[in-house]
Amino acid sequence: MTSVVNGLDYAVIDADNHYYEPADCFSRHIEAKFRDKAITATKRDDESWEVKIGSKPFDFFDPKFDRTNPPGSLLTILRSKDTNASIKWSDFYSADNMLPSFQDRDQRLALMDEQGIEATIMLPSFGVAVTALMQDDADQMYANYVSYNRWIEEDWGFAADSRIFAPPLIPLLDVDRAVAELDRVMSLGTRVIAIPPGPIGNNRSPADPMYDPFWGRLNDSGVLVAYHLGDSLYPETSAAWGERPYPPVREMSAFQWAFNHSDRPIMETIGQLIYGNVFGRFPELKVLSIENGSDWVPYLLRLLDKKKGLGRYGPWIGGRPVGRPSDTFREHVWVAPYPEDDIDALVELLGAERVLFGSDYPHPEGMAEPAQFADIMQRSTPEEVRLVMRDNLAGLLDLAR
């Protein structure tokens, strides 16, 4: 595929596109014996949606099953809310903004052609927001996510036409069921899977050797691991500071946005993988950090190197890792920064080979025109820009194949 968009003489490969799910994305394929545990959505008389996780109400955010806001419109929404505190986020939703290409694969492929996007990792909107509400019920967790992954397979495909790569979501709450689902989706050709960042349940690390059968399969197959921003158990921890334990996302306090939402879950997850020696045991494992930003990266690299020395006499859950943690990070982790981050500085820190372009299209907090991401890279060379905008992810997804 060749295309000239935004002054580029090549088509780009986006690490962070999204679909909007239908209301039955979790319930469509759920096993009959788990029907009472299904995630369901019912439209109310006022056209809003009542969502339940089994019998528990879901109010983390207003789901976008049939209405949304325009791509890249967050700034306009925030400015409107600043002038009128009574305005709700959902006031900006409309059915007109829910384009067919946001929910239909063939329509999306046509839009990708217009946007000059050769291929993309296509991620959930609603599907990443429910994990924490099922941590106490492994039956419910896997019944719903196996059903959800079957919906992804049916509507989007795990590696459709080598253009849309829609990762199945596989939580690690139960290692045997996680391995079984991983084996199933790998047999169907998936090249990337998504795992929620943060601890497993309330008290377990993904670096625990009990998960080695899971990491071993990924190591041997070359399937990528994507950690994408989502809900987590972290807002509950802010209750120790007098904060509301699990508020709707648009009602989170500034403290919760700063310390519980994005940076901390991904930093601690990668810290556990490195200090837990997962990459020492599985040297071919490749991890993508998507929609977690990048402001935290330089701090984390310094922190990991410094604290490894201070913790030399402490326990090492998976054996003491060899070498500098910052070098391990650079070898095994690829980062998709936010457009508002200093992307050139990240390129200088990690090398262009470890930075990915991610537009977050069509979310309101993302970019209205994905390929304009290249314009942000003012200090990088054309060769570095091409690595970020296309070649890095092309190699990771083995598109030459």
Side-chain angles (χ1 to χ4, degrees):
M1 175 183 178
T2 59
S3 178
V4 178
V5 174
N6 205 48
L8 303 176
D9 61 357
Y10 51 87
V12 301
I13 302 179
D14 197 335
D16 187 24
N17 262 210
H18 289 269
Y19 45 70
Y20 287 117
E21 297 95 329
D24 68 343
C25 59
F26 279 99
S27 60
R28 185 187 301 179
H29 295 293
I30 201 161
E31 291 183 70
K33 64 181 179 180
F34 295 119
R35 181 65 58 182
D36 63 330
K37 295 179 179 288
I39 299 172
T40 58
T42 306
K43 185 170 280 192
R44 302 184 181 97
D45 292 340
D46 64 358
E47 297 298 302
S48 66
W49 289 91
E50 180 184 29
V51 179
K52 290 186 175 181
I53 315 295
S55 60
K56 295 181 290 190
F58 172 85
D59 59 2
F60 190 53
F61 63 77
D62 300 307
K64 299 178 178 181
F65 298 132
D66 53 6
R67 298 176 299 157
T68 187
N69 9 49
S73 62
L74 174 64
L75 187 58
T76 299
I77 295 171
L78 291 177
R79 284 173 174 169
S80 298
K81 287 176 70 65
D82 282 344
T83 59
N84 187 346
S86 66
I87 293 177
K88 296 179 180 179
W89 188 269
S90 56
D91 292 338
F92 294 87
Y93 295 1
S94 83
D96 291 339
N97 292 325
M98 184 61 79
L99 302 183
S101 57
F102 300 167
Q103 296 188 304
D104 179 85
R105 187 176 74 86
D106 291 337
Q107 295 274 357
R108 188 55 161 268
L109 287 169
L111 177 61
M112 288 166 58
D113 289 341
E114 295 174 14
Q115 295 174 324
I117 298 177
E118 176 181 345
T120 185
I121 297 177
M122 191 76 69
L123 292 149
S125 296
F126 173 57
V128 295
V130 296
T131 313
L133 297 176
M134 297 185 286
Q135 293 288 342
D136 59 348
D137 191 335
D139 286 343
Q140 184 178 46
M141 179 82 81
Y142 288 94
N144 277 283
Y145 273 112
V146 170
S147 176
Y148 184 84
N149 292 340
R150 291 183 184 278
W151 165 78
I152 294 175
E153 176 191 349
E154 182 173 81
D155 279 22
W156 292 95
F158 297 138
D161 304 325
S162 289
R163 295 197 64 192
I164 291 177
F165 297 85
L169 275 68
I170 307 180
L172 293 179
L173 187 63
D174 181 287
V175 62
D176 292 334
R177 283 186 266 202
V179 166
E181 180 63 358
L182 178 60
D183 286 342
R184 187 184 74 84
V185 298
M186 287 199 306
S187 73
L188 297 170
T190 192
R191 296 192 207 172
V192 55
I193 65 162
I195 303 175
I200 300 167
N202 289 302
N203 58 3
R204 195 170 292 279
S205 165
D208 191 310
M210 70 179 292
Y211 298 109
D212 281 4
F214 186 84
W215 298 123
R217 282 163 167 78
L218 294 168
N219 181 80
D220 296 343
S221 67
V223 171
L224 308 170
V225 177
Y227 281 104
H228 182 276
L229 176 74
D231 96 336
S232 70
L233 299 174
Y234 282 76
E236 295 183 5
T237 66
S238 63
W241 298 97
E243 302 278 336
R244 182 178 174 184
Y246 198 79
V249 66
R250 304 304 174 192
E251 297 177 21
M252 283 173 26
S253 70
F255 178 91
Q256 289 172 319
W257 280 107
F259 298 105
N260 299 140
H261 182 60
S262 176
D263 293 9
R264 185 178 159 203
I266 190 62
M267 284 196 299
E268 293 184 0
T269 299
I270 292 175
Q272 283 286 335
L273 295 178
I274 292 176
Y275 282 157
N277 200 32
V278 170
F279 299 116
R281 302 197 302 278
F282 304 104
E284 302 303 318
L285 192 63
K286 297 178 177 64
V287 169
L288 316 182
S289 171
I290 299 176
E291 202 179 331
N292 297 297
S294 62
D295 287 344
W296 49 271
V297 175
Y299 169 72
L300 179 64
L301 296 188
R302 293 192 304 270
L303 185 74
L304 289 175
D305 286 347
K306 181 178 181 179
K307 302 305 181 182
K308 182 187 178 186
L310 291 174
R312 63 171 65 87
Y313 301 119
W316 301 99
I317 188 173
R320 192 177 193 276
V322 175
R324 295 173 66 87
S326 58
D327 292 337
T328 302
F329 184 104
R330 288 184 173 93
E331 183 178 354
H332 293 278
V333 180
W334 284 255
V335 178
Y338 291 140
E340 63 267 27
D341 294 345
D342 190 338
I343 302 166
D344 295 302
L346 185 68
V347 168
E348 294 167 5
L349 177 69
L350 296 181
E353 297 82 3
R354 290 298 184 267
V355 181
L356 302 176
F357 147 57
S359 70
D360 196 32
Y361 186 87
H363 286 172
E365 56 268 35
M367 302 187 70
E369 298 294 337
Q372 289 183 354
F373 192 96
D375 294 340
I376 304 168
M377 301 178 66
Q378 294 292 310
R379 303 192 307 275
S380 299
T381 67
E383 294 76 17
E384 290 171 329
V385 172
R386 179 173 176 130
L387 285 170
V388 173
M389 297 297 295
R390 183 189 186 281
D391 291 352
N392 290 337
L393 196 50
L396 288 166
L397 293 171
D398 197 14
L399 292 189
R401 182 175 64 179

